Amino acid sequence: MGEIHAGGPAFSARVRRLSGFVHQTLARARRVPVPYKLGEVVIGDDPFNGRHEGRVAVKNGTFVGLQTVDQIFFYDYRQLRRPD
């Protein structure tokens, strides 16, 4: 039978592979290129934040901070569009 040593953790290779996969997937999600530039005017439409028009002030991963007159609203970049 196999031995389990008391001094070390008993991780399986499957857990390490899954952990590596999750880490790579999250890293790729954070590096998604947001198609909007800082200072560009866009419209954000979200059921929770509502619809706001403003300039892109912050880009953090997949989230974009939309600067309005008095506040910054954060949207997922897929909820933004350029004005007509």
Side-chain angles (χ1 to χ4, degrees), residues 43-53 66 73-75 79-80:
I43 297 172
D45 192 12
D46 179 36
F48 301 107
N49 289 332
R51 181 176 287 178
H52 296 95
E53 182 175 346
L66 192 63
F73 295 95
F74 285 91
Y75 290 94
Q79 296 171 329
L80 298 175

Side-chain angles (χ1 to χ4, degrees), residues 51-79:
R51 181 176 287 178
H52 296 95
E53 182 175 346
R55 295 188 181 272
V56 176
V58 179
K59 288 173 31 175
N60 185 7
T62 61
F63 291 101
V64 175
L66 192 63
Q67 175 73 44
T68 61
V69 175
D70 57 344
Q71 269 184 305
I72 293 182
F73 295 95
F74 285 91
Y75 290 94
D76 188 275
Y77 78 96
R78 294 170 289 193
Q79 296 171 329

Side-chain angles (χ1 to χ4, degrees), residues 3-4 6 8 10 13 16 19 25 37 39 41 43 47 51 56 73 84:
E3 293 182 22
I4 297 177
R16 280 181 265 159
S19 174
T25 303
K37 297 177 184 168
V41 176
I43 297 172
R51 181 176 287 178
V56 176
F73 295 95
D84 297 332

